[in-house]
């Protein structure tokens, strides 16, 4: 690397840390991408300035969300929407309701979303939002009250051709319904302003399944490239929400054996693998009853529950972290490798720390980074937007075929980008490079805006 290029990169890094010193999640995400893009910057230094512009969101919205609980007590939460990039289309990305949400978390998610949406090949910019509101233990009326207050501010910043939010952690069909209803009431129009909607009023088939199914399709393509398949592979799945549920379901469809689910209380293990009927029961526990995974043990005589632990200690072939960011640290990664795992495919957003990723690479573990492997959710959100624009609803088979093709294209494009820059089959670097170049070239074409 030339001295001038190294100096420019160092200057951008220093500027980021000076501007946002306390935003550790955002800085972690930027550092991971920065390392991957070094060959691009060396070949064409003009992209350093474009990257510096890209890491500063186009718009950051922070707002108060007041609401009244069932006891008549006033509550106040903080809402966020980070509109990261509109170079490729309307801002697009989910809403997360969780106590850990802050500006750093939302910025990291919006930054990752930029590359993910670019990789889908669809016309979508990138954004992310949410609140530190925790819906667990809340009544439906309380969740509705919060969602209506949240949308009362957010609605003025979004629109079908401006910014199209979706769901994320703790924002499912119930929350999307309340948010959409309030938007419609305030804006006095019926448009595809949110994705993840109910099928009866503009939703898409396969949308709930898309992130999990897409992650497994990505793994299938990686294994095929290596001359292998999913058949018979014993798989660790973390989390027990939407992504984890449908990851496990698609693994069964393709002949693999999902062994675990987890939540913040611990994990459950089915030593011989989960059946479809058992996954259906997990869905009832988490989506309807909204209880801990430990309750599953009352349903199954073979299940084992490990309180306070992560599933990475179980010997297996593949891992699908599908819970939350940084759930696999360096020590967890070493345990995975020691227990025979030779492929990690990220269903959650940034579930592996940078140190964990170095462990994977050192052990030649196949690695499907989140921005590529979990792009299925936003891909089908994009397809939902297309259906809304047409005022049509495609069949389940049509959407699933499109999803499978998109995930193959993402893998192929990531591999091709890695090989173009002499990085062999480093899919992490390839995904970052392919996603970045499409956005960066579009930004250059559109001028300094």
């Amino acid at each position: 690397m030339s001295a001038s290029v190294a100096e420019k990169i160092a200057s951008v890094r220093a500027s980021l840390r000076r501007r946002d010193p306390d935003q550790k999640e955002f800085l972690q995400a930027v550092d991971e991408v920065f390392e991957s893009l070094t060959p691009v910057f060396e070949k064409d230094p003009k992209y350093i300035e474009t990257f510096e512009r890209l890491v500063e969101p186009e718009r950051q919205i922070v707002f108060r969300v007041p609401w009244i609980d069932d006891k008549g007590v006033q509550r106040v939460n903080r809402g966020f929407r980070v509109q990261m990039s509109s170079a490729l289309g309307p801002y697009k990305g989910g809403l997360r309701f969780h106590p850990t949400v802050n500006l750093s978390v939302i910025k990291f998610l919006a930054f990752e979303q930029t590359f993910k949406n670019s990789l889908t090949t669809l016309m979508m910019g990138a954004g992310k939002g949410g609140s530190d509101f925790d819906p667990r233990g809340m009544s439906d009326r309380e969740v509705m009250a919060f969602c209506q207050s949240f949308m009362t501010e957010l609605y003025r910043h979004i629109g079908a051709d401006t910014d199209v939010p979706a769901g994320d952690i703790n924002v499912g069909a119930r929350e999307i319904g309340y948010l959409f209803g309030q938007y419609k009431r305030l804006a006095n129009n019926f448009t595809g302003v949110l994705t993840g909607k109910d099928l009866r009023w503009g939703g898409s088939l396969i949308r709930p399944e898309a992130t999990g199914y897409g992650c497994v399709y990505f793994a299938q393509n990686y294994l095929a490239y290596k001359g292998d398949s999913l058949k018979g592979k014993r798989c660790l799945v973390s989390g027990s929400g939407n992504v984890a549920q449908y990851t496990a379901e698609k693994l069964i469809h393709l002949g693999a054996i999902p062994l675990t689910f987890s939540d913040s209380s611990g994990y459950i293990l089915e030593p011989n693998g989960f059946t479809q009927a058992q996954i259906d029961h997990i869905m009832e526990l988490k989506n309807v009853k909204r209880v801990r995974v430990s309750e599953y043990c009352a349903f199954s005589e073979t299940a084992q529950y490990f309180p306070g632990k992560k599933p990475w200690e179980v010997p297996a072939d593949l891992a699908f972290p599908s819970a939350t960011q940084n759930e696999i640290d360096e020590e967890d990664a070493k345990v995975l490798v020691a227990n025979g795992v030779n492929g990690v495919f990220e269903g959650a957003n940034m579930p592996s720390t940078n140190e964990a990723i170095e462990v994977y690479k050192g052990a030649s573990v196949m690695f499907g980074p989140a921005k590529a492997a979990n792009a299925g959710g936003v891909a089908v959100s994009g397809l939902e937007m297309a259906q809304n624009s047409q005022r049509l609803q495609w069949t389940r088979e049509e959407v699933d075929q499109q999803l499978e093709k998109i995930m193959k294209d993402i893998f192929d494009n990531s591999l091709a980008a890695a090989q173009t820059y002499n990085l062999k089959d480093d899919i992490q670097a390839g995904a970052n490079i392919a996603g970045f170049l499409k956005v960066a070239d579009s930004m250059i074409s559109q001028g300094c805006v």
Side-chain angles (χ1 to χ4, degrees):
M1 184 189 304
S2 71
S4 63
V5 169
E7 187 177 329
K8 286 180 181 178
I9 290 175
S11 174
V12 174
R13 284 179 181 267
S15 175
L16 276 168
R17 279 167 167 71
R18 186 169 57 251
R19 185 178 292 163
D20 301 311
D22 300 322
Q23 296 184 2
K24 61 180 183 178
E25 295 87 357
F26 175 61
L27 293 173
Q28 177 187 340
V30 173
D31 282 344
E32 182 264 320
V33 174
F34 227 141
E35 293 297 328
S36 299
L37 294 180
T38 299
V40 177
F41 299 147
E42 289 177 333
K43 185 176 180 180
D44 196 339
K46 74 179 182 185
Y47 287 119
I48 300 175
E49 292 181 354
T50 311
F51 186 79
E52 184 176 18
R53 186 152 46 104
L54 176 62
V55 297
E56 183 64 24
E58 293 180 10
R59 194 171 292 104
Q60 302 178 66
I61 303 154
V62 182
F63 53 96
R64 180 177 64 199
V65 188
W67 57 283
I68 306 297
D69 69 17
D70 285 346
K71 296 178 181 178
V73 176
Q74 175 185 281
R75 304 280 196 96
V76 179
N77 289 94
R78 182 173 290 174
F80 303 90
R81 188 66 178 174
V82 171
Q83 296 174 330
M84 198 79 194
S85 172
S86 59
L88 302 181
Y91 306 110
K92 185 78 191 82
L95 299 170
R96 174 178 295 192
F97 293 167
H98 195 273
T100 60
V101 165
N102 57 39
L103 186 57
S104 175
V105 168
I106 297 300
K107 279 180 68 177
F108 118 65
L109 291 169
F111 179 72
E112 290 276 296
Q113 197 79 42
T114 305
F115 299 86
K116 186 186 306 184
N117 292 4
S118 173
L119 287 168
T120 67
T121 73
L122 302 174
M123 293 178 63
M124 294 184 292
K128 206 76 178 185
S131 173
D132 56 2
F133 172 73
D134 187 356
R136 288 179 300 179
M138 299 287 181
S139 69
D140 285 347
R141 194 213 66 80
E142 288 174 318
V143 172
M144 181 176 70
F146 173 82
C147 288
Q148 289 177 341
S149 181
F150 183 87
M151 183 54 78
T152 297
E153 173 59 33
L154 185 66
Y155 93 98
R156 68 191 77 239
H157 306 290
I158 63 176
D161 296 315
T162 304
D163 184 349
V164 183
D168 193 86
I169 292 174
N170 288 332
V171 179
R174 174 182 62 172
E175 290 76 18
I176 291 293
Y178 294 149
L179 291 165
F180 183 82
Q182 184 70 353
Y183 177 87
K184 183 164 58 72
R185 179 187 192 186
L186 294 167
N188 193 30
N189 62 39
F190 191 109
T191 59
V193 70
L194 290 158
T195 56
K197 301 185 292 298
D198 188 285
L199 288 171
R200 293 167 294 189
W201 37 272
S204 175
L205 291 158
I206 303 290
R207 179 59 190 91
E209 299 93 330
T211 305
Y213 278 19
C215 190
V216 177
Y217 286 143
F218 189 90
Q220 182 183 38
N221 280 287
Y222 206 145
L223 285 161
Y225 165 72
K226 293 288 189 179
D228 203 349
S229 76
L230 283 164
K231 191 169 180 61
K233 296 290 188 295
R234 293 171 65 81
C235 303
L236 306 179
V237 179
S238 68
S240 49
N242 183 282
V243 179
Q245 294 164 14
Y246 289 111
T247 294
E249 181 172 274
K250 182 53 70 174
L251 286 170
I252 290 176
H253 292 172
L254 297 179
I257 304 166
L259 299 172
T260 60
F261 285 100
S262 69
D263 60 21
S264 57
S265 69
Y267 76 90
I268 50 172
L269 167 69
E270 279 287 1
N272 297 316
F274 282 84
T275 65
Q276 184 63 57
Q278 290 169 330
I279 292 173
D280 290 343
H281 189 68
I282 290 287
M283 291 179 178
E284 182 183 357
L285 290 175
K286 300 304 290 189
N287 303 346
V288 180
K289 296 182 178 178
R290 304 180 189 275
V291 296
R292 296 291 189 184
V293 291
S294 56
E295 299 292 325
Y296 171 81
C297 293
F299 172 79
S300 170
E301 295 180 355
T302 54
Q304 300 170 34
Y305 174 59
F306 298 86
K309 293 190 174 184
K310 302 176 184 179
W312 315 129
E313 62 187 9
V314 180
D317 302 304
L318 304 173
F320 292 81
S322 308
T324 192
Q325 69 264 19
N326 293 332
E327 59 176 296
I328 301 180
D329 60 22
E330 183 178 7
E331 292 307 310
D332 295 324
K334 289 177 180 177
V335 170
L336 280 169
V337 171
N339 283 335
V341 167
N342 66 358
V344 178
F345 303 96
E346 296 185 327
N349 289 305
M350 202 173 73
S352 305
T353 65
N354 290 341
E355 294 77 14
I357 293 168
E358 289 306 312
V359 173
Y360 305 153
K361 291 184 174 181
S364 298
V365 168
M366 292 177 289
F367 177 51
K371 62 178 62 68
N374 82 4
V378 74
V380 174
S381 280
L383 299 179
E384 182 176 329
M385 291 165 66
Q387 293 169 75
N388 290 168
S389 295
Q390 294 176 314
R391 297 293 195 269
L392 295 174
Q393 189 173 76
W394 302 345
T395 66
R396 183 180 180 86
E397 291 72 26
E398 286 177 300
V399 179
D400 198 21
Q401 285 172 9
Q402 289 264 25
L403 172 61
E404 192 168 2
K405 180 182 183 301
I406 287 170
M407 298 313 297
K408 184 178 189 308
D409 289 344
I410 291 173
F411 177 81
D412 290 345
N413 292 339
S414 300
L415 179 62
Q419 292 174 341
T420 296
Y421 284 87
N422 300 315
L423 298 171
K424 298 181 181 179
D425 59 358
D426 186 340
I427 298 298
Q428 179 195 19
N432 286 334
I433 291 168
F436 171 72
L437 286 175
K438 183 178 178 183
V439 176
D441 288 337
S442 299
M443 291 174 68
I444 292 168
S445 297
Q446 294 166 20
C448 186
V449 294

